[in-house]
């Protein structure tokens, strides 16, 4: 939910991963109107305003008809709790819990208590979905080691929590990929 933790970078990594595995993927970028993700994947990414019902329908009403097995939504900073609340109210989370589709949430967190507080705020939505806590080391982030008390406080309410660490990339290579506006694969 916090800005600058690498949400779009992780989205790019996931899109490249699926491309290497030959898995058709479509993406939605909620950084309306400019859309950083669309810059790298113009053919498979659409910029949407998730607060707009028509945009919600573009994502949700086409899950089955798009004939694309993976839909990725890159949420803009500050939109995580809001988006999960919308998905809860309109039945998306219940549909996922009921097995109509698999919903996974990669929650990219920063090294601060504010990021951990986000976990507490969204924990009520996580039952029945795959939750992957993602620590991104791309920007030389230093994460504090969570002690047992901290872990228990923030993770006791979360079923099926997984952790993933994204390793630090070479700064020069990352910058050149970003400046060129191409995928990591390219």
């Amino acid at each position: 939910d916090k800005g600058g933790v690498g949400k779009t970078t992780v989205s790019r990594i996931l899109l490249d991963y699926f491309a290497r595995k030959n898995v058709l993927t479509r993406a939605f970028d909620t950084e309306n109107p400019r859309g950083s993700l669309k810059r790298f994947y113009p053919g498979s990414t659409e910029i949407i305003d998730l607060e707009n019902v028509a945009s919600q329908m573009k994502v949700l009403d086409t899950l089955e008809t798009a004939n694309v097995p993976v839909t990725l939504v890159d949420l803009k900073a500050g939109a995580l709790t809001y988006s999960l609340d919308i998905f809860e109210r309109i039945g998306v989370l219940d549909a996922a819990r009921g097995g109509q589709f698999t919903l996974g949430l990669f929650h990219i967190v920063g090294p601060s208590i504010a990021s951990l507080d986000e976990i507490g705020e969204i924990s009520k939505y996580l039952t029945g979905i795959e939750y992957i806590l993602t620590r991104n080391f791309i920007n030389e982030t230093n994460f504090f080691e969570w002690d047992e008390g901290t872990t228990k406080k923030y993770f006791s309410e979360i079923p099926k929590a997984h952790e993933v660490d994204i390793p630090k990339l070479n700064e020069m290579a990352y910058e050149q990929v970003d400046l060129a506006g191409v995928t990591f694969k390219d």
Side-chain angles (χ1 to χ4, degrees), residues 1-2 78-85 88 93 105 107 113-126 131 153-155 157-158:
D1 213 17
K2 186 179 177 313
L80 180 59
T81 303
Y82 176 81
S83 299
L84 289 171
D85 187 58
E88 185 73 72
L93 297 182
L105 171 63
H107 184 188
I113 291 294
S115 280
L116 291 178
D117 285 340
E118 292 170 9
I119 295 168
E121 291 171 16
I122 67 167
S123 64
K124 65 183 176 184
Y125 302 106
L126 301 178
Y131 176 72
K153 177 182 177 187
Y154 288 100
F155 296 97
E157 302 295 318
I158 300 173

Side-chain angles (χ1 to χ4, degrees), residues 56-73:
Q56 295 168 19
M57 291 172 62
K58 282 182 186 179
V59 177
L60 303 170
D61 287 355
T62 58
L63 282 174
E64 290 181 1
T65 60
N67 293 322
V68 177
V70 175
T71 297
L72 183 142
V73 180

Side-chain angles (χ1 to χ4, degrees), residues 22-163:
N22 295 316
V23 175
L24 290 175
T25 307
R26 65 187 185 145
F28 294 94
D29 187 338
T30 66
E31 190 68 44
N32 189 359
R34 64 182 173 95
S36 300
L37 188 62
K38 185 164 178 73
R39 185 177 124 213
F40 298 100
Y41 300 90
S44 61
T45 302
E46 183 174 347
I47 298 171
I48 61 169
D49 177 1
L50 205 53
E51 295 180 22
N52 179 293
V53 173
S55 289
Q56 295 168 19
M57 291 172 62
K58 282 182 186 179
V59 177
L60 303 170
D61 287 355
T62 58
L63 282 174
E64 290 181 1
T65 60
N67 293 322
V68 177
V70 175
T71 297
L72 183 142
V73 180
D74 182 10
L75 296 176
K76 67 181 178 181
L80 180 59
T81 303
Y82 176 81
S83 299
L84 289 171
D85 187 58
I86 287 173
F87 291 162
E88 185 73 72
R89 285 186 286 122
I90 64 176
V92 173
L93 297 182
D94 281 340
R97 291 175 187 126
Q100 293 179 14
F101 58 90
T102 301
L103 178 64
L105 171 63
F106 282 78
H107 184 188
I108 295 83
V109 296
S112 66
I113 291 294
S115 280
L116 291 178
D117 285 340
E118 292 170 9
I119 295 168
E121 291 171 16
I122 67 167
S123 64
K124 65 183 176 184
Y125 302 106
L126 301 178
T127 303
I129 69 171
E130 290 294 323
Y131 176 72
I132 300 99
L133 181 74
T134 310
R135 293 185 295 188
N136 181 8
F137 289 87
I138 290 173
N139 299 321
E140 290 192 47
T141 301
N142 291 312
F143 287 87
F144 51 84
E145 289 301 317
W146 296 328
D147 65 25
E148 190 175 324
T150 302
T151 300
K152 187 178 281 187
K153 177 182 177 187
Y154 288 100
F155 296 97
S156 63
E157 302 295 318
I158 300 173
K160 294 187 180 181
H162 307 282
E163 287 187 40

Side-chain angles (χ1 to χ4, degrees), residues 12-25 41 69-70 185:
R12 291 171 56 196
I13 292 167
L14 288 168
L15 288 171
D16 280 353
Y17 172 81
F18 288 124
R20 281 194 315 276
K21 297 292 185 181
N22 295 316
V23 175
L24 290 175
T25 307
Y41 300 90
V70 175
K185 178 177 66 83

